[in-house]
Every structure is written in structure tokens, then in C-alpha cells.
């Protein structure tokens, strides 16, 4: 009886150790086949995620308005003005009053021949952009502190959402001037 128990234990150890070796060898083979990652590559949870901004192609304001909510977009447009509370409060020329938003458009609307006359546009031509997520972006882009940005072409990487009760960008991840 003792001999059979001893034999059973020896056989069990043999199979367990033999099975572990095989799994270990398979894991080593997979590790050899997998490409090695550098420290700069995203590999799990990190404090910050690096986005390859060059991988995106841009859309104009009209394309951004038609894109589905939640889309990650790069919008190219002219800085038309700033607004607060509603799109109807848009200020399209200096002096600007709101530091919390920008309004983008596909074309520059210029003053007409008579005072107070501008090229025709509607609210459907405008894309509001919220500047309240990150203080550094708000500080760099607001037209109150930087009226020189008015009518400049800008590329904004952001997430499309509803802003001021219409399609807009609420989360800005990156921006560049043309």
C-alpha cells in the first residue's frame, strides 16, 4: 500500500513539473516573438497618454458640425469671435468679453461697405469651442487677452459634443495655428 501511494506521489510530481516546464517554454517563445516595447510607448495605465496628432486628418467647420457626437476631430477654421451663454451672444470683433469660448467658421466674415454691415452668415455656419477644461489652453486662446488671434486659422484637436445647445467642441486636447 505504501509503495502504491509513494508511486502515485512521484508520478503526480513528474506530471506537474513536466507540465510546468512546457507552459514556461511556451511563454518564453511568445515573449521572444513579441516586439519589445520602449519606455515611450503606451503600455497599460499611465498618468498621461500621448496622442499622435499627425495621425488625424482635419475637417472644416461644416464637416465638424455634421460629425457624430463623441467623435475625436481635428477642426480647421478661422477664429470668428467669442461668445457666452448662447451663440446669439457672439461678439465678432474687438473688444471681446468672454474668456471661456471661441467661435470658429470656415470663412472670414468681413465688414461691408457701410458701418455695421457684415457679410451674411447664420448660426449654422458657426462652431462654438469651450475653453474651460484646461487653464493653459484657456489662457493661450481666449480673445480677451489675445485679440491678435482674431481671424487666424487654427487647428483644434477635440471631442465633439453639444455646447451652447448646438454642435461644438467641449474638450480641447491640442491646438496649432497655421
Amino acid at each position: 500500500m505504501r509503495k502504491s501511494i509513494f508511486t502515485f506521489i512521484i508520478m503526480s510530481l513528474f506530471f506537474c513539473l513536466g507540465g510546468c516546464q512546457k507552459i514556461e517554454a511556451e511563454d518564453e517563445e511568445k515573449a521572444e516573438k513579441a516586439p519589445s516595447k520602449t519606455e515611450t510607448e503606451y503600455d497599460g495605465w499611465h498618468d498621461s497618454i500621448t496622442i499622435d496628432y499627425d495621425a488625424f486628418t482635419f475637417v472644416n467647420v461644416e464637416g465638424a458640425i455634421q460629425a457624430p457626437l463623441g467623435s475625436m476631430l481635428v477642426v480647421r477654421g478661422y477664429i470668428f469671435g467669442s461668445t457666452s451663454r448662447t451663440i446669439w451672444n457672439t461678439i465678432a470683433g474687438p473688444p471681446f468679453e468672454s474668456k471661456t469660448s471661441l467661435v470658429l467658421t470656415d470663412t472670414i466674415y468681413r465688414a461691408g461697405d457701410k458701418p455695421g454691415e457684415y457679410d451674411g452668415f447664420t448660426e449654422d455656419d458657426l462652431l462654438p469651442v469651450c475653453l474651460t477644461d484646461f487653464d493653459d489652453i484657456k489662457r493661450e486662446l481666449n480673445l480677451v487677452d489675445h485679440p491678435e488671434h482674431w481671424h487666424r486659422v487654427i487647428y483644434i484637436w477635440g471631442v465633439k459634443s453639444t455646447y451652447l445647445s448646438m454642435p461644438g467642441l467641449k474638450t480641447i486636447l491640442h491646438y496649432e495655428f497655421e
Side-chain angles (χ1 to χ4, degrees):
M1 173 87 164
R2 285 186 182 184
K3 193 173 183 179
S4 62
I5 293 175
F6 181 72
T7 305
F8 176 74
I9 292 173
I10 295 292
M11 293 293 273
S12 297
L13 286 174
F14 177 74
F15 286 119
C16 288
L17 291 177
C20 291
Q21 289 294 338
K22 185 176 180 183
I23 292 172
E24 191 174 296
E26 287 176 3
D27 289 342
E28 287 175 10
E29 288 175 14
K30 287 180 184 176
E32 289 174 8
K33 291 179 184 175
S36 62
K37 294 192 177 220
T38 63
E39 290 181 15
T40 58
E41 289 183 274
Y42 178 69
D43 189 22
W45 295 99
H46 293 287
D47 291 336
S48 64
I49 298 173
T50 304
I51 298 172
D52 181 11
Y53 295 112
D54 295 332
F56 293 95
T57 57
F58 69 86
V59 296
N60 60 9
V61 170
E62 182 181 349
I65 291 170
Q66 294 173 0
L69 290 176
S71 300
M72 178 97 158
L73 302 171
V74 180
V75 180
R76 179 192 183 273
Y78 290 94
I79 298 177
F80 176 71
S82 67
T83 188
S84 60
R85 290 187 222 123
T86 70
I87 199 70
W88 300 104
N89 292 337
T90 299
I91 297 174
F96 299 100
E97 297 175 1
S98 176
K99 291 185 175 187
T100 61
S101 68
L102 290 177
V103 178
L104 301 182
T105 187
D106 283 330
T107 59
I108 296 177
Y109 295 98
R110 300 209 183 265
D113 297 331
K114 298 177 186 174
E117 183 181 277
Y118 285 88
D119 295 340
F121 64 91
T122 66
E123 68 274 0
D124 294 335
D125 299 327
L126 307 176
L127 182 75
V129 178
C130 181
L131 299 179
T132 58
D133 281 343
F134 301 105
D135 285 338
D136 56 339
I137 290 176
K138 181 179 175 181
R139 188 173 34 256
E140 293 297 321
L141 289 183
N142 80 77
L143 291 175
V144 173
D145 296 333
H146 299 282
E148 68 274 10
H149 295 332
W150 183 50
H151 284 182
R152 285 185 72 185
V153 176
I154 189 168
Y155 294 86
I156 297 180
W157 284 254
V159 179
K160 183 183 176 189
S161 60
T162 301
Y163 180 55
L164 301 175
S165 301
M166 61 184 302
L169 295 178
K170 209 164 186 182
T171 303
I172 297 176
L173 303 173
H174 182 72
Y175 69 92
E176 289 180 14
F177 288 103
E178 188 172 73

